Amino acid sequence: MGPITVEDITFESKQKVTRRMVRLAGGEIPADLRPLRMRLQSEPRRQKVAVILKLAGVACISLGLAWTLCYVFFGRYELSVVFIGLTGVGMLALHRSRRSDSSSLLLVAHGVFAVVCAIAVIDAPMAWVPRSAHLFLLPLAAGAAFTFERRERYGALIFPLLCIAAFAAFAMGALDPLAPNVSPPLEVRAWGAKLNTTTSMLLLATLFAINRIDSGKRLRLERELSRAVRNGEIEVYYQPQVRDHDIVSGAEALVRWRHPSGRLLSPDAFIDLAEESNLICEIGLEVLRQACETLSHWSADPRTQALRIAVNISPVQMQDPSLVHSVSTIIREAGIEPSLLEFELTESALATDTATVIERMEALASSGTSWALDDFGTGYSSLATLRTLPVGKLKIDRQFLIEATRQESAQQLLGKIIEISHVMGMCALAEGVETPDQRELLIQLGCDHFQGYLFARPMSRKELDVWLDTSAAPSKPRL
């Protein structure tokens, strides 16, 4: 493919840049690059998903092996097959608990659903033994409803309703005509019904207990977080950004929470909760205040007075009508040069009310600040939308870089993203640069702005000042 031109971008809605290119308008990517869409979840969410998957794994393996051995003992090998499948689902659940993501949870949930329905069909009721296998659909529905987040509509709502509908159908006997003419041995039906009923209710009670404990933790965390700004517990760490030959151009301000327990919590532990409770607006402004204080501190030293600080703006903040006024007030009171302040916005902020978001971006840009689009290529923006944004920098998500070192197609995609930034008069900054090989690849592809552990880890302002004293001489950043 030849170089992308401005005309190609202008008429992007009519002509695709390339079939290998991300279809940014809908966030779709080629099948071999779909792992790029996986976003890091919060640590509390990962822990909860891991617990649920481990519980599912232990339950499925225990029940699967027990019933498999039972039917093998009675010589009913055809019935043991479905329970071998249940054991397999349990092993899958334990394996996927290491990832603890929504896709793993959904995969295991559908596996359990399919096996339980198959067992329930075979478990046709008798005059003196009721059907019992379908009772496991209740803890399955509860587990999904408790674990999937509200924005995951299918997992949090549709799948639980599907489980309940299947439970009702089995309970009313609507699916009895599907039962094959292979009834389990009479010797095990009676105590098997008691075992299934007891186990399913224990699983349901355990899930309620897990959810209650998790809700309690979230409430305590929210109460503590609501006092964090007032108690001076919000701290800002800085990760340097470099360009060309290790010339420091600035740093990104990263929020940390000094929990009352003394632990320093990373954003994974509290940002999701802060956004859900709207506390992110107060926290975001506190981060901006501290970043402006750092810029004011740097302004007294000729070596650092031209460095820029990037501050993240949450999509929730962008919906706050008072955002522009609050930010402008903080900048004015700090007495800093607005051009040294860069705001970063993720593509997810453009998913709703795009016009309002753009209006507030332009209002802040008019004061002299600049904007960068964070995690570019993983979200919702199309090239047509990108042209309307007051954005001077595209920050390339680290997953693109990771995949580019493994796959030729991902490397070509990364190159096209960098090319797009150049055509649109922007610079591209690659996040998560950890090895010299990754940096060399980026340079070959035309990217000369970097951020990552290869250069420095996030650090406090005091640590950053020491680091700057020993690093390459900083100079005024350029785009």
Side-chain angles (χ1 to χ4, degrees):
M1 169 175 289
I4 298 177
T5 64
V6 175
E7 288 74 15
D8 292 329
I9 296 175
T10 304
F11 298 100
E12 183 266 345
S13 59
K14 295 182 179 180
Q15 186 174 16
K16 301 297 180 183
V17 174
T18 176
R19 290 188 178 182
R20 294 178 182 175
M21 187 66 191
V22 175
R23 192 170 74 86
L24 296 171
E28 297 179 9
I29 60 182
D32 59 340
L33 298 180
R34 283 175 188 161
L36 299 182
R37 295 197 60 189
M38 296 175 58
R39 308 300 308 133
L40 292 176
Q41 303 177 89
S42 67
E43 185 59 30
R45 170 75 192 287
R46 284 196 295 268
Q47 292 176 355
K48 185 176 182 180
V49 172
V51 169
I52 296 296
L53 287 174
K54 289 177 182 177
L55 177 63
V58 171
C60 290
I61 291 175
S62 300
L63 291 171
L65 289 176
W67 282 110
T68 297
L69 294 174
C70 176
Y71 287 125
V72 168
F73 176 79
F74 282 98
R76 300 296 301 274
Y77 303 107
E78 76 281 7
L79 293 177
S80 66
V81 173
V82 68
F83 291 98
I84 293 176
L86 181 62
T87 304
V89 172
M91 296 174 66
L92 175 65
L94 291 181
H95 173 70
R96 301 286 289 206
S97 66
R98 301 173 185 173
R99 297 181 58 178
S100 303
D101 57 3
S102 295
S103 61
S104 298
L105 190 64
L106 202 59
L107 178 64
V108 171
H110 281 87
V112 174
F113 179 81
V115 174
V116 169
C117 286
I119 297 173
V121 168
I122 298 173
D123 185 33
M126 301 174 59
W128 51 282
V129 180
R131 172 185 274 119
S132 59
H134 70 298
L135 294 174
F136 287 100
L137 291 170
L138 294 180
L140 180 60
F146 291 159
T147 310
F148 284 101
E149 297 180 345
R150 284 180 295 177
R151 65 173 179 267
E152 300 170 310
R153 184 176 177 82
Y154 177 80
L157 178 62
I158 298 177
F159 182 76
L161 290 177
L162 179 63
C163 292
I164 292 174
F167 169 83
F170 282 116
M172 294 184 299
L175 301 178
D176 287 352
L178 299 178
N181 190 24
V182 285
S183 179
L186 296 179
E187 296 91 332
V188 301
R189 288 297 301 273
W191 61 264
K194 296 177 181 179
L195 177 64
N196 287 340
T197 301
T198 302
T199 304
S200 61
M201 293 304 102
L202 285 174
L203 286 173
L204 188 60
T206 301
L207 288 167
F208 275 106
I210 292 174
N211 187 65
R212 182 176 181 180
I213 293 172
D214 180 71
S215 298
K217 288 181 179 179
R218 288 178 64 85
L219 287 174
R220 287 194 299 273
L221 194 66
E222 184 175 343
R223 286 195 296 269
E224 293 169 345
L225 188 58
S226 66
R227 300 189 291 265
V229 174
R230 185 170 62 253
N231 294 342
E233 297 167 3
I234 298 300
E235 299 181 12
V236 175
Y237 273 48
Y238 300 89
Q239 186 170 33
Q241 297 175 340
V242 303
R243 64 174 176 84
D244 298 332
H245 300 290
D246 294 343
I247 298 175
V248 182
S249 59
E252 179 181 2
L254 302 170
V255 65
R256 298 290 187 268
W257 178 19
R258 182 69 66 178
H259 190 265
S261 65
R263 293 178 299 151
L264 186 65
L265 301 183
S266 66
D268 280 353
F270 63 90
I271 283 297
D272 283 353
L273 179 61
E275 291 186 333
E276 291 175 10
S277 59
N278 218 41
L279 292 171
I280 191 65
C281 295
E282 184 180 2
I283 293 173
L285 292 179
E286 175 61 22
V287 172
L288 177 61
R289 289 189 192 95
Q290 294 189 33
C292 288
E293 289 176 2
T294 298
L295 285 173
S296 179
H297 168 71
W298 283 351
S299 66
D301 189 338
R303 298 176 305 166
T304 58
Q305 62 185 197
L307 296 183
R308 176 180 294 175
I309 291 183
V311 178
N312 289 278
I313 299 292
S314 165
V316 177
Q317 287 180 272
M318 294 301 296
Q319 300 302 318
D320 182 5
S322 65
L323 173 67
V324 176
H325 174 73
S326 299
V327 169
S328 300
T329 299
I330 292 174
I331 296 174
R332 184 174 61 254
E333 291 178 350
I336 64 167
E337 173 58 44
S339 63
L340 299 179
L341 195 61
E342 179 180 80
F343 295 117
E344 293 186 2
L345 189 68
T346 60
E347 288 190 84
S348 59
L350 303 171
T352 56
D353 201 1
T354 304
T356 299
V357 171
I358 295 177
E359 179 183 349
R360 287 171 184 160
M361 291 177 70
E362 291 176 340
L364 289 175
S366 65
S367 67
T369 60
S370 60
W371 284 91
L373 194 60
D374 200 7
D375 297 338
F376 179 71
T378 64
Y380 304 87
S381 64
S382 65
L383 295 178
T385 302
L386 184 60
R387 290 190 299 111
T388 67
L389 301 177
V391 171
K393 180 184 293 180
L394 299 183
K395 295 194 70 176
I396 303 171
D397 185 76
R398 65 188 301 270
Q399 286 296 332
F400 280 100
L401 180 57
I402 293 173
E403 293 297 322
T405 60
R406 302 171 181 169
Q407 300 175 356
E408 178 65 25
S409 57
Q411 187 176 130
Q412 294 176 2
L413 175 58
L414 178 60
K416 289 302 177 184
I417 291 177
I418 296 171
E419 188 177 349
I420 285 174
S421 69
H422 294 164
V423 169
M424 302 189 75
M426 305 174 186
C427 78
L429 184 147
E431 297 181 287
V433 183
E434 298 181 354
T435 67
D437 289 343
Q438 290 178 336
R439 181 190 177 203
E440 184 60 30
L441 173 62
L442 288 165
I443 292 176
Q444 293 176 4
L445 294 175
C447 180
D448 58 0
H449 287 70
F450 317 100
Q451 179 179 338
Y453 286 177
L454 175 64
F455 310 98
R457 291 176 176 269
M459 60 191 86
S460 66
R461 193 177 87 180
K462 290 183 179 179
E463 294 171 329
L464 179 60
D465 287 340
V466 174
W467 183 87
L468 287 172
D469 287 338
T470 59
S471 68
S475 67
K476 187 172 183 180
R478 61 176 174 80
L479 291 181

